[in-house]
Amino acid sequence: MTRPRKLYVKSFGCQMNVYDSHRMADMLAPEGFAETAHIEDADLVILNTCHIREKAADKVYSELGRMRALKAAAARDGRRLTVAVAGCVAQAEGEEIIRRAPVVDLVVGPQNYHRLPGLLARAEREGAVVDTEFPVEDKFDILRAPSRAATRARGVGAFVTVQEGCDKFCTFCVVPYTRGAEVSRPVIKIVAEVERLADAGVREVTLIGQNVNAYHGEGPDGAAWTLGRLLERVAELPGIARLRYTTSHPCDMEASLVAAHRDLPSLMPYLHLPVQSGSDRILARMNRRHTRADYLKAIARMRAAQPKMAFSSDFIVGFPGESEEDFRATLSLLDEVGYAGAFSFKYSPRPGTPAADMPDQVPEAVKSERLYRLQAAIDRHQAAFNARCLGRSFEVLFEKTGRHAGQIVGRSPYLQPVQVMAPAIMIGDIAAVTITDLGANSLFGALAETRIDADAMLMEA
Ligand code: 5AD
Ligand code: SF4
């Protein structure tokens, strides 16, 4: 028998890449590849890359520099190391990657990784292979299910792709080009995948998609289902205690999704709803298709349906043409919403996107200064939100052992890490925890004696 070959997958960027990385490992397991945690031992390294900002894309090339040394070391040991680049940089740059980094044996786009076994065999036979064509077949029909052991090893929370791609074409964004047009998976396929995960012990499922609330997959009745309806169906599945979904667009906050937050106790009251800017002038130039008022209305509808709701967002500073006044509108929106957390980025011109060619690019120093001010404001909001949690009780889903002996760590409904002194046997359980202390990156709590009183979770500002 041949020895199992070792696979090391490194994921960059978004949660969909994490999901895709798992599916690549699942696809290769029956081919005799076992995952290793040590890159030096690997026979195959897959870099699953992100193209969203220049910095993310640059990481790939610095990583490929390291791969050259690893490949030489493997050769000295009489081993062959195969290097594959997958993900959105693969899709965007294709053959250019092999020209710039001849260490790469295989370039495979996000819509083609179900073909990995065949592509690897070809790369081993013929040398460098590139596959970034958008295929006619659906990769989800060909991808292999994870083993129960693989699912267990990945923990109590899992991602499930329900929708992929984007038709919105925000002028700064590469996603419509790298992930392609929007496609929704049929309801029965998603239900089957979640059932399998639940059967292997998964307790929390996050439905993911670049534009997840534009979901319109075929239901068992033949009609197009909304995300709200899909959530309602998935919430019925035994074993799944918590549901989340990401990432949403403010234009697609349809009524059934708002109702799902009112009606489904397992749907966590936390919504990541990127706004990007608080200025209508900039939102229009970004082609966001919503105004500041539309966005605030979406937040208000959610809060009216579910008073426990808290929000996070993404912001871009220094988009072409952004004035100090536009930027202040972003700061004031932040205060108006009162976010529990947010991600903020300096605008990064991406080749091939309309904003990259806009004339009034903002100088780097101005971007840096605005990012600094925005991050300070976000930190302030996050600290205030965390401070409001002090003394309250939440249900925490325990995920793994904690920082110190005797501690385990889990997530609150708002995704805050909570460290608790409790036995490791409780990992995978959901228990009521009273927040006793605030740390820099996590909350501290104690197991609560009584069940949670629903009102104790009310988080309005
Ligand atoms: N420059 C900076 N940030 C970007 N994002 C997307 N494209 C760019 C870009 N060109 C940010 C947006 C998006 C998040 C995933 O990344 O805020 O919501
Ligand atoms: Fe990119 Fe806009 Fe689509 Fe989000 S909605 S993936 S930011 S184009």
Side-chain angles (χ1 to χ4, degrees):
M1 219 177 93
T2 52
R3 88 183 170 93
R5 289 187 286 174
K6 291 191 179 155
L7 164 68
Y8 184 93
V9 191
K10 185 160 182 175
S11 218
F12 301 83
C14 68
Q15 290 158 331
M16 194 173 282
N17 269 8
V18 175
Y19 175 85
D20 289 346
S21 292
H22 288 157
R23 301 308 300 263
M24 286 189 234
D26 298 337
M27 197 65 206
L28 291 169
E31 310 289 318
F33 281 97
E35 279 192 88
T36 171
H38 307 287
I39 196 167
E40 310 78 31
D41 300 342
D43 301 291
L44 168 62
V45 172
I46 302 178
L47 303 179
N48 196 12
T49 63
C50 172
H51 199 244
I52 198 97
R53 286 170 292 277
E54 196 178 355
K55 243 196 199 154
D58 283 349
K59 271 193 205 148
V60 182
Y61 287 100
S62 63
E63 202 65 32
L64 287 174
R66 260 181 81 204
M67 288 301 129
R68 257 204 350 242
L70 269 183
K71 201 167 190 165
R76 279 197 300 276
D77 291 350
R79 281 188 306 121
R80 175 177 178 160
L81 169 62
T82 303
V83 176
V85 175
C88 291
V89 177
Q91 189 62 42
E93 298 190 4
E95 298 197 350
E96 176 63 21
I97 296 175
I98 291 178
R99 262 196 298 277
R100 264 182 80 178
V103 68
V104 174
D105 301 287
L106 172 62
V107 175
V108 57
Q111 301 310 337
N112 306 67
Y113 65 80
H114 56 293
R115 297 175 175 168
L116 264 173
L119 292 171
L120 277 172
R122 236 179 80 203
E124 279 166 18
R125 243 181 6 247
E126 301 165 18
V129 169
V130 176
D131 187 1
T132 54
E133 293 294 313
F134 284 102
V136 284
E137 75 274 14
D138 178 359
K139 69 176 176 228
F140 291 108
D141 287 341
I142 295 159
L143 287 172
R144 294 165 173 157
S147 66
R148 281 171 69 97
T151 303
R152 285 227 181 83
R154 290 169 191 165
V156 295
F159 300 128
V160 173
T161 294
V162 301
Q163 174 280 335
E164 197 175 354
C166 182
D167 295 339
K168 296 275 192 302
F169 290 92
C170 298
T171 53
F172 52 80
C173 187
V174 289
V175 166
Y177 312 97
T178 58
R179 288 277 170 176
E182 207 200 297
V183 179
S184 295
R185 294 178 68 194
V187 173
I188 15 173
K189 300 256 173 88
I190 295 163
V191 167
E193 192 169 327
V194 176
E195 278 175 336
R196 244 191 340 259
L197 291 168
D199 187 47
V202 165
R203 307 296 317 278
E204 175 178 296
V205 163
T206 305
L207 306 183
I208 56 173
Q210 274 86 30
N211 230 208
V212 73
N213 57 334
Y215 177 83
H216 59 277
E218 187 187 304
D221 54 0
W225 280 28
T226 59
L227 180 66
R229 227 173 142 193
L230 175 67
L231 284 163
E232 205 181 310
R233 176 73 188 93
V234 175
E236 291 167 358
L237 301 176
I240 300 300
R242 282 183 163 190
L243 281 176
R244 303 179 187 275
Y245 58 93
T246 200
T247 297
S248 299
H249 192 285
C251 290
D252 297 315
M253 302 301 296
E254 41 79 33
S256 76
L257 184 58
V258 179
H261 275 282
R262 182 193 61 210
D263 299 336
L264 303 177
S266 59
L267 183 57
M268 292 295 98
Y270 192 47
L271 175 63
H272 181 59
L273 193 61
V275 65
Q276 316 296 356
S277 169
S279 154
D280 280 342
R281 207 176 63 82
I282 296 298
L283 288 171
R285 291 173 63 110
M286 287 176 163
N287 189 33
R288 286 289 293 176
R289 306 157 189 241
H290 64 81
T291 61
R292 175 189 177 108
D294 296 334
Y295 181 85
L296 287 169
K297 206 165 126 199
I299 298 266
R301 283 168 65 217
M302 278 289 179
R303 281 198 166 125
Q306 178 51 270
K308 293 174 201 160
M309 214 64 202
F311 300 88
S312 66
S313 181
D314 292 338
F315 294 95
I316 294 177
V317 298
F319 184 82
E322 185 189 68
S323 66
E324 173 64 22
E325 195 189 338
D326 293 319
F327 175 65
R328 286 199 186 154
T330 297
L331 290 177
S332 78
L333 180 72
L334 195 78
D335 291 338
E336 207 163 324
V337 175
Y339 291 101
F343 300 99
S344 52
F345 311 101
K346 285 192 238 182
Y347 170 66
S348 168
R350 307 308 290 129
T353 59
D357 297 326
M358 288 183 184
D360 32 11
Q361 300 286 325
V362 173
E364 188 57 30
V366 176
K367 286 186 197 171
S368 298
E369 190 258 349
R370 287 183 189 160
L371 186 69
Y372 181 82
R373 284 157 68 198
L374 180 60
Q375 279 178 344
I378 292 169
D379 289 349
R380 195 164 35 75
H381 277 280
Q382 188 169 353
F385 182 81
N386 288 343
R388 288 209 301 280
C389 295
L390 206 55
R392 292 175 189 251
S393 298
F394 298 118
E395 288 197 332
V396 170
L397 168 57
F398 292 110
E399 292 177 348
K400 53 187 181 191
T401 50
R403 226 179 292 153
H404 301 294
Q407 269 181 348
I408 56 175
V409 62
R411 297 270 176 180
S412 78
Y414 305 108
L415 283 178
Q416 298 144 302
V418 186
Q419 309 270 351
V420 179
M421 294 299 287
I425 196 170
M426 288 185 74
I427 292 170
D429 286 355
I430 294 179
V433 168
T434 305
I435 305 303
T436 52
D437 228 327
L438 307 177
N441 300 309
S442 50
L443 309 179
F444 296 91
L447 292 176
E449 276 164 25
T450 50
R451 274 201 58 76
I452 297 202
D453 144 26
D455 289 341
M457 264 176 65
L458 288 180
M459 284 309 296
E460 8 22 350

